[in-house]
Amino acid sequence: MTIFNADEIRAALETAFPVPMDEYEDAFYCQLMAGSLNDLAKVYKRRFNDTVDEIKAGGLLSEDFVLVQEESRRKEVDIKALRNGLPDLFQEVVHVTTSDVAKLLSNRFIYEAVKKKIGDRITDYDAVNVDDLEARQPEPELSEYMKIITIPKGYVVKRVSQRRRN
């Protein structure tokens, strides 16, 4: 089995697909190559997962290879143990996550509770969900209250079709 590293793969690709000298052509080349390699990486990842599934399902063994499940670790508080073991400390540190608050309470309830707490300063934090407004306001009035914001995402190189010269 031949093992390739990134440098070897790049050298093979650049032999098969030479790097252009022109800066725009090179940027275009890199853009297309990056997209193709991303697509190819997905193919290999899917093939890897399918092959691992076959190995596990068949209980296949190899003299040369071993299948190892890697694990990541993270710390997590044992809520029940902390609540029972150190109730005073638990009361100091317990909270509900903002994502859970949004699940448990309506946006309107949260807005009114915060408004009650901070008063008119709430206008600095006002937010309206686009989908909520679109569901309640028909066109053409909707466009009066909606704006499109353009956010630069980065550059892309496009090939310009060459015009014939007469």
Side-chain angles (χ1 to χ4, degrees):
M1 172 192 258
T2 304
I3 303 292
F4 289 102
N5 64 34
D7 290 334
E8 292 170 327
I9 293 171
R10 191 174 110 218
L13 286 172
E14 290 178 358
T15 298
F17 305 100
V19 176
M21 297 303 288
D22 174 76
E23 286 82 359
Y24 273 95
E25 190 74 25
D26 186 41
F28 188 66
Y29 166 92
C30 290
Q31 177 178 278
L32 293 178
M33 189 64 77
S36 296
L37 291 172
N38 281 332
D39 292 345
L40 190 57
K42 291 175 189 172
V43 169
Y44 278 102
K45 184 65 175 175
R46 192 171 25 252
R47 187 168 132 196
F48 169 80
N49 290 333
D50 290 345
T51 305
V52 167
D53 288 346
E54 289 175 22
I55 291 168
K56 289 173 21 185
L60 304 177
L61 300 174
S62 169
E63 291 182 18
D64 299 317
F65 301 97
V66 63
L67 187 60
V68 177
Q69 174 145 21
E70 292 183 329
E71 297 174 336
S72 61
R73 297 176 58 149
R74 67 182 175 96
K75 294 179 180 179
E76 187 176 274
V77 175
D78 183 338
I79 301 289
K80 194 179 263 185
L82 183 61
R83 181 186 296 123
N84 294 333
L86 299 169
D88 292 339
L89 178 58
F90 175 78
Q91 286 304 317
E92 288 179 36
V93 296
V94 69
H95 68 278
V96 177
T97 65
T98 54
S99 59
D100 284 341
V101 168
K103 290 177 201 170
L104 295 167
L105 305 172
S106 72
N107 285 339
R108 190 73 207 163
F109 178 87
I110 295 168
Y111 181 85
E112 292 300 332
V114 173
K115 184 177 179 182
K116 191 177 203 179
K117 187 79 169 171
I118 68 170
D120 289 340
R121 288 185 301 140
I122 196 160
T123 60
D124 294 337
Y125 304 96
D126 284 348
V128 175
N129 183 296
V130 170
D131 293 336
D132 289 344
L133 184 59
E134 286 177 335
R136 291 170 174 79
Q137 185 67 39
E139 281 293 348
E141 295 87 6
L142 177 63
S143 60
E144 183 179 339
Y145 303 102
M146 200 74 76
K147 58 185 173 182
I148 305 295
I149 298 171
T150 303
I151 302 164
K153 295 188 329 187
Y155 289 100
V156 63
V157 178
K158 296 185 178 184
R159 186 180 298 276
V160 178
S161 58
Q162 301 206 357
R163 297 180 183 176
R164 290 187 191 169
R165 295 180 189 184
N166 292 335

